[in-house]
Amino acid sequence: MNQIHIVNNQEYVIIDRNFQIIDSSTAVSKYAALPEKIKPGQDIRLSFPELIGLEATCELIYNQQQDNFTLKAIARNQADNQVIYFDIYLEKIENYLVLLCKDVTELMVLKQSLMQKVNEAELALSSLKRFENCTNRIIGSMGELLIITNASGIIERVNRAAKTILGYGKSDFVGNHLSFVVNDPKFDFTQIYRSLLKENNTLVKYEFTCEKAQGELVEIEFNCFVVPTEVKDVLNCVYIGRDITIRKQAEAEIRQALEKEKELTQLKSRFISMASHEFRNPLSSILISADALADSQNNISTEDFNFYVKFIQKAALNMNSLLEDVLLISRQEAGKQSFKPEKFNLAEFSQQIIHEISLTYPDRKVDLTLEGDLSNFSGDEKLLWHILTNILCNALKYSPTKSIVDFTISQSKDQVIIEIRDRGIGISPETQKHIFESFYRGNNVNDIPGSGLGLAIVKRAVDLHQGQIIITSEPNLGSTVKVIL
């Protein structure tokens, strides 16, 4: 089992999809109903009966149909008759489910105490001084930062944790607006204050980017609420915050990993679809021809024999060409495609490519226009062959019979501009977002054969030339591909 990084050093238990314990942290047993059952091979539900009934939810998380699941404020009686409160957080990491436990006893006690004292203040203003002294002691011992502002957002009070976490002194806070600390375009104190008034006596959660004294940015999660002051109908705002920078970074990494996995799954699906379709036709041709040769034995004419042999050769060449494209895109994506520029005559090179392609598409025409001196072009001949061949083949393949494809090459200062325009089926706006992805094909190609690799190969070859490719297209009106090298 690879090492699994647990955020914020929380206590954890790693389980498989059958709820069998794989590994655990040393101190996680303090949260367990049966601490002695926290050992590899045991069913986690013996120690955490709160999971009973959540098997379906755990399966969804394991299958990545749900990101995570949280059980809040679970109470557990200790051997010394004390009660601890903790949160359980379930998520998938690698091939396991991870149960994270976080002690929230102090926070629960603090919230209960604060709310109790706020209610007492509303009922009896005469007890305000006693409540203030109690609050001071609680605030001083808090590990989470606390900031209290007036109705205008001016900071009136902070606790020791706020000064420690953000690095400012008391004089830096008091008298300044809260925006002095919160460096976030989403922060609008007026809107927050109105929201807190509307949700009176309710905790409202916000996440903001704050700037420390040293200029470092941190992500703070605030639980906010309003409390009455000694002045009737005047309320102050209380912000209790904790640093969630590491958690946010971990969440971003997980989202990125999930997105990458989704892309790989889609790529795999497109490859399987392409391979099953594109290999089936030439394989069928080879099998049909081989069966015909086998059945005819000595009764086949030389003409028929040559026909079937050429049929087999053509099908094999098609399969080999497809495999070459797959290998080429694999080298390009792995960064192993070499770039070897040399001088050659681009005009003659282009004419030779047109001649080769015309043998495959004899019922279509390429109209070549050359502008400027192209006799001393510098580039990678092999990569340029892939660029021109793929673009021209696409233009001819997706154009109606007897149509003309305009092929223009011009030189402008130190650039060569290649433009190929067809009058074919075109590319839909939705497809244009994905045209350079491997194995991706448009939704309007119907039964026209293709691997979905052509433009992906072209894009990477153009990038190796440090060039640019621009495609404009409209469905049923054709496409124009411009390559600038």
Side-chain angles (χ1 to χ4, degrees):
M1 181 183 68
N2 295 327
Q3 185 177 3
I4 297 178
H5 175 65
I6 304 301
V7 178
N8 283 339
N9 296 318
Q10 295 183 44
E11 304 304 328
Y12 66 90
V13 183
I14 299 173
I15 61 175
D16 60 23
R17 70 188 306 165
N18 297 317
F19 296 90
Q20 299 298 306
I21 296 175
I22 304 300
D23 192 15
S24 65
S25 62
T26 304
V28 75
S29 59
K30 72 177 183 179
Y31 302 106
L34 297 176
E36 67 275 15
K37 296 295 184 181
I38 298 291
K39 60 179 67 174
Q42 292 290 335
D43 193 314
I44 185 66
R45 290 169 290 191
L46 297 175
S47 298
F48 291 89
E50 293 80 9
L51 297 179
I52 297 174
L54 295 177
E55 288 81 357
T57 300
C58 292
E59 186 67 14
L60 289 175
I61 296 173
Y62 188 88
N63 294 328
Q64 296 184 336
Q65 295 173 298
Q66 180 173 323
D67 290 336
N68 51 59
F69 185 80
T70 304
L71 289 172
K72 290 285 190 179
I74 300 171
R76 186 82 77 213
N77 291 321
Q78 301 294 284
D80 55 1
N81 293 326
Q82 296 297 315
V83 178
I84 64 169
Y85 295 88
F86 62 98
D87 294 344
I88 289 180
Y89 183 83
L90 277 169
E91 67 177 286
K92 182 181 181 184
I93 298 180
E94 297 183 359
N95 293 321
Y96 303 97
L97 287 176
V98 177
L99 180 147
L100 299 174
C101 296
K102 181 182 178 182
D103 191 337
V104 295
T105 305
E106 182 179 353
L107 180 60
M108 290 295 295
V109 172
L110 173 64
K111 287 181 179 179
Q112 294 168 5
S113 177
L114 285 176
M115 294 307 299
Q116 178 183 355
K117 295 307 177 183
V118 169
N119 291 333
E120 290 174 356
E122 293 177 347
L123 297 174
L125 291 177
S126 61
S127 64
L128 180 61
K129 185 62 178 179
R130 180 175 55 85
F131 167 73
E132 183 179 4
N133 293 335
C134 179
T135 302
N136 289 340
R137 291 193 297 270
I138 295 173
I139 290 173
S141 64
M142 285 176 58
E144 292 160 317
L145 68 85
L146 180 138
I147 300 175
I148 300 177
T149 73
N150 62 20
S152 300
I154 303 301
I155 299 173
E156 294 186 347
R157 186 172 183 177
V158 295
N159 68 345
R160 185 186 301 113
K163 293 181 284 186
T164 302
I165 292 173
L166 296 176
Y168 295 103
K170 180 178 179 181
S171 59
D172 297 319
F173 283 107
V174 176
N176 273 315
H177 195 273
L178 185 58
S179 58
F180 161 74
V181 174
V182 181
N183 183 8
D184 197 314
K186 303 187 300 293
F187 176 72
D188 185 336
F189 177 82
T190 302
Q191 181 179 353
I192 292 174
Y193 185 70
R194 290 173 180 171
S195 177
L196 293 177
L197 290 177
K198 184 178 180 181
E199 302 293 335
N200 191 19
N201 292 329
T202 302
L203 286 171
V204 181
K205 184 173 293 185
Y206 293 99
E207 293 181 5
F208 292 122
T209 301
C210 295
E211 185 174 359
K212 299 174 68 172
Q214 300 82 2
E216 178 185 355
L217 298 180
V218 291
E219 296 293 326
I220 303 293
E221 180 184 75
F222 288 103
N223 287 313
C224 311
F225 55 94
V226 291
V227 294
T229 66
E230 60 274 13
V231 180
K232 185 178 180 180
D233 296 330
V234 176
L235 303 175
N236 278 351
C237 296
V238 178
Y239 298 81
I240 301 175
R242 60 192 181 100
D243 188 346
I244 59 169
T245 305
I246 297 177
R247 190 193 81 186
K248 298 294 286 186
Q249 291 172 348
E251 290 174 353
E253 291 172 0
I254 292 172
R255 286 195 297 271
Q256 186 177 5
L258 291 174
E259 186 63 30
K260 183 65 176 178
E261 183 175 352
K262 180 180 178 182
E263 292 175 2
L264 291 175
T265 301
Q266 292 174 342
L267 181 63
K268 177 182 176 181
S269 176
R270 293 200 298 264
F271 171 76
I272 293 173
S273 176
M274 178 279 299
S276 61
H277 184 270
E278 295 303 317
F279 280 116
R280 183 183 294 117
N281 291 337
L283 281 173
S284 298
S285 300
I286 292 173
L287 291 172
I288 292 170
S289 300
D291 289 343
L293 290 173
D295 292 341
S296 61
Q297 296 180 357
N298 297 327
N299 298 324
I300 188 171
S301 66
T302 301
E303 182 180 356
D304 288 341
F305 179 83
N306 291 334
F307 170 78
Y308 287 124
V309 170
K310 289 181 179 179
F311 206 42
I312 291 173
Q313 290 174 334
K314 182 178 179 181
L317 287 172
N318 287 339
M319 293 178 65
N320 184 69
S321 176
L322 179 57
L323 286 173
E324 287 293 334
D325 283 348
V326 172
L327 291 173
L328 177 62
I329 198 70
S330 177
R331 287 197 301 271
Q332 289 178 338
E333 291 183 345
K336 296 181 179 180
Q337 177 66 54
S338 61
F339 177 64
K340 300 177 181 178
E342 57 184 26
K343 301 285 186 180
F344 62 93
N345 191 316
L346 182 56
E348 295 178 358
F349 181 77
S350 303
Q351 291 167 345
Q352 178 62 31
I353 288 179
I354 293 173
H355 176 72
E356 294 173 1
I357 293 177
S358 296
L359 299 177
T360 306
Y361 301 96
D363 55 352
R364 296 166 177 83
K365 180 183 178 182
V366 178
D367 188 3
L368 177 63
T369 301
L370 303 173
E371 300 175 0
D373 183 11
L374 304 172
S375 61
N376 200 29
F377 175 77
S378 178
D380 188 307
E381 189 171 340
K382 183 180 293 186
L383 290 177
L384 194 64
W385 183 89
H386 285 292
I387 292 173
L388 297 182
T389 301
N390 278 296
I391 298 176
L392 282 173
C393 283
N394 279 347
L396 294 168
K397 178 165 57 176
Y398 297 113
S399 294
T401 57
K402 297 183 181 181
S403 63
I404 298 175
V405 171
D406 298 323
F407 181 14
T408 303
I409 305 178
S410 60
Q411 185 178 32
S412 175
K413 296 181 180 179
D414 57 347
Q415 291 182 334
V416 168
I417 300 175
I418 301 169
E419 188 168 292
I420 298 173
R421 177 175 178 268
D422 65 61
R423 298 161 181 83
I425 62 175
I427 308 171
S428 67
E430 179 182 353
T431 299
Q432 290 182 38
K433 303 174 184 177
H434 306 280
I435 53 178
F436 297 124
E437 297 178 10
S438 299
F439 306 110
Y440 186 89
R441 303 197 70 209
N443 52 16
N444 61 340
V445 298
N446 299 321
D447 295 328
I448 301 174
S451 64
L453 288 174
L455 287 176
I457 291 172
V458 169
K459 179 64 167 64
R460 288 162 177 79
V462 170
D463 289 343
L464 286 171
H465 279 86
Q466 296 184 351
Q468 183 181 7
I469 180 170
I470 304 169
I471 298 180
T472 56
S473 182
E474 292 186 32
N476 302 317
L477 295 178
S479 304
T480 299
V481 180
K482 178 184 288 188
V483 176
I484 302 172
L485 301 175

